[in-house]
Amino acid sequence: MEHSFEPLKNDLIVRAAWGQAVERPPIWVMRQAGRYLPEYHQAKGTRDFFECCRDPEVSSTLTLQPIERFAGLIDAAIIFSDILVIPQAMGMLVEMVDKKGPHFPNPLKSPSDPQYAELMQRHVDVSTELDYVYRAITLTRKKLQGRVPLIGFCGAPWTLFCYMVEGGGSKLFKEVKTWIYKYPDEAKALLQKIAELCVDYLALQVKAGAQLIQVFDSWAGELSPASFKQFSQPYLEYIAKHLPPKLKELGLDPVPMIVFPKGAWYALDAACDMGYNVVGLDWLHAPADAVKTVGDRPIVIQGNADPGVLYGSHASITQVVKEMVEGFGWVTRKKGWIVNLGHGITPFVNPDDLRFFFEEVHRLTKEAQ
């Protein structure tokens, strides 16, 4: 089904992500649609989190809230959804527990857990299982009317695998470390299956109207450099390598691809060679060092203000923006940088302080011309 959408009025982030020189660095923030906004709680009502994800009308309303609140200040929308829709599509039960986050009542214990064989053998059709996401994307694209591009996303295989075996967030990562050090081959077989589903899922998001995609490897930093090379990197590379031909097969043009290996600061050099256009940085990187690591490769950097600065004074916010503008070499380069936080915006942030962050990025990059 071909959709007709209004042409983009603001294609800044698309041009920047392809590595072109741009008039100012584009801005968006991870989790910009969500719980720090009072209007989010109003629109969500009594629905639970996953009900919001599964209702295209609600998902699109939530996606648009920051675009409307911060009109003219941000350059992309990101579809309101969750990385854990893939494990759900694979047949695992995931609940969102209030004040605790995602919970798998029946996580994957070991390769001898009957669930493992079921997961490996099950044919997962992401086109039907995740149809609600594509409908939300198409509806959101229509409602955006070309104001800004829409980003689609998925969780990286390693991060999804962590959730599937830990049963939720973790401090020790005991279960997943047991898997990779005790059952590495079985872990890799499942990671590969997840990677293949990610490719299909992202391709169908693009078909539905997503104009860029991001792969969130939120738990990448839990791996040692040697383990990262075995259990994360090959699957991130698989996605980057197989998505463009998959889009071509569907008669679609390529879209910019962003990878975000959070916490894996040691993997920046490797991430620049994985086949993505944009590499997201968390706040553990010094911008100038990151630029040096990228060198003359045509890679765009996204990031990387500490989300915690938004709890601070306006003077602190200004200082952090200044450090990024200088560190990412905006004045001399005029390309290669998409402004973002170094992770998702955290709860209890005052939206007016986020607005100030956006305004300072505009002011200080304009002054730097």
Side-chain angles (χ1 to χ4, degrees):
M1 178 169 104
E2 284 308 303
H3 305 290
S4 59
F5 300 117
E6 288 190 36
L8 267 176
K9 299 180 185 85
N10 172 358
D11 65 349
L12 188 67
I13 193 169
V14 177
R15 288 183 285 127
W18 283 128
Q20 296 171 24
V22 284
E23 51 280 20
R24 63 173 178 83
I27 324 170
W28 69 284
V29 298
M30 293 177 270
R31 296 204 189 120
Q32 64 189 23
R35 56 195 169 172
Y36 73 102
L37 290 174
E39 56 267 42
Y40 164 83
H41 297 281
Q42 266 179 305
K44 181 176 178 281
T46 55
R47 298 175 191 88
D48 89 352
F49 176 83
F50 284 117
E51 278 177 78
C52 294
C53 296
R54 281 192 281 267
D55 184 325
E57 190 57 57
V58 177
S59 167
S60 69
T61 296
L62 298 173
T63 303
L64 288 173
Q65 285 177 344
I67 304 308
E68 281 153 3
R69 180 185 272 261
F70 304 116
L73 290 174
I74 50 177
D75 301 296
I78 182 166
I79 194 67
F80 183 84
S81 183
D82 194 79
I83 63 172
L84 298 177
V85 298
I86 286 186
Q88 286 175 333
M90 295 174 83
M92 292 189 80
L93 180 64
V94 190
E95 301 162 345
M96 194 59 78
V97 180
D98 209 30
K99 312 234 183 332
K100 269 188 72 177
H103 172 64
F104 288 68
N106 185 21
L108 209 46
K109 300 278 191 297
S110 74
S112 56
D113 176 344
Q115 212 182 169
Y116 178 77
E118 279 169 32
L119 282 172
M120 291 307 297
Q121 286 155 17
R122 179 177 290 128
H123 168 69
V124 182
D125 180 358
V126 289
S127 71
T128 54
E129 293 287 344
L130 298 174
D131 177 62
Y132 60 88
V133 179
Y134 318 131
R135 285 190 291 125
I137 286 172
T138 303
L139 182 61
T140 305
R141 262 297 290 276
K142 287 183 174 153
K143 287 190 193 176
L144 275 168
Q145 297 174 310
R147 279 175 281 177
V148 292
L150 179 60
I151 301 171
F153 68 91
C154 74
W158 163 252
T159 290
L160 296 178
F161 180 63
C162 286
Y163 276 108
M164 289 160 76
V165 303
E166 293 289 343
S170 176
K171 285 194 167 62
L172 295 177
F173 290 86
K174 170 181 168 280
E175 307 307 329
V176 80
K177 295 296 174 82
T178 305
W179 271 85
I180 65 173
Y181 293 121
K182 205 178 251 186
Y183 320 115
D185 295 342
E186 291 87 346
K188 288 174 182 174
L190 183 49
L191 286 161
Q192 178 58 31
K193 174 149 187 167
I194 298 169
E196 290 165 13
L197 293 174
C198 288
V199 170
D200 291 344
Y201 177 47
L202 291 171
L204 291 170
Q205 289 187 56
V206 174
K207 187 181 178 189
Q211 292 149 292
L212 305 93
I213 62 93
Q214 174 156 319
V215 180
F216 283 87
D217 208 352
S218 314
W219 298 122
E222 295 304 322
L223 288 163
S224 69
S227 296
F228 181 86
K229 281 196 181 86
Q230 277 196 72
F231 296 100
S232 174
Q233 188 171 330
Y235 308 100
L236 293 173
E237 287 171 347
Y238 181 92
I239 294 169
K241 184 180 174 187
H242 289 84
L243 182 58
K246 183 81 187 175
L247 292 175
K248 199 173 176 187
E249 196 185 295
L250 295 172
L252 300 163
D253 292 331
V255 298
M257 303 184 293
I258 309 166
V259 66
F260 179 50
K262 181 179 177 286
W265 53 269
Y266 52 78
L268 176 57
D269 183 49
C272 291
D273 293 330
M274 281 179 193
Y276 291 84
N277 309 92
V278 182
V279 177
L281 304 182
D282 57 48
W283 65 95
L284 305 178
H285 293 263
D289 294 348
V291 171
K292 269 192 207 115
T293 302
V294 173
D296 55 9
R297 290 177 283 193
I299 293 292
V300 175
I301 295 172
Q302 177 175 279
N304 74 334
D306 179 353
V309 76
L310 298 174
Y311 298 130
S313 64
H314 281 193
S316 300
I317 294 172
T318 301
Q319 185 57 33
V320 165
V321 174
K322 264 189 185 146
E323 285 161 8
M324 287 197 297
V325 174
E326 286 163 18
F328 288 119
W330 173 251
V331 187
T332 48
R333 296 169 74 224
K334 293 286 187 284
K335 63 175 189 177
W337 180 36
I338 294 169
V339 185
N340 207 312
L341 300 174
H343 194 215
I345 184 166
T346 42
F348 315 115
V349 162
N350 180 335
D352 292 340
D353 293 328
L354 180 61
R355 174 183 296 276
F356 182 75
F357 171 78
F358 293 145
E359 288 169 346
E360 286 298 85
V361 172
H362 281 264
R363 180 177 76 84
L364 291 164
T365 53
K366 198 178 273 174
E367 277 178 12
Q369 300 291 3

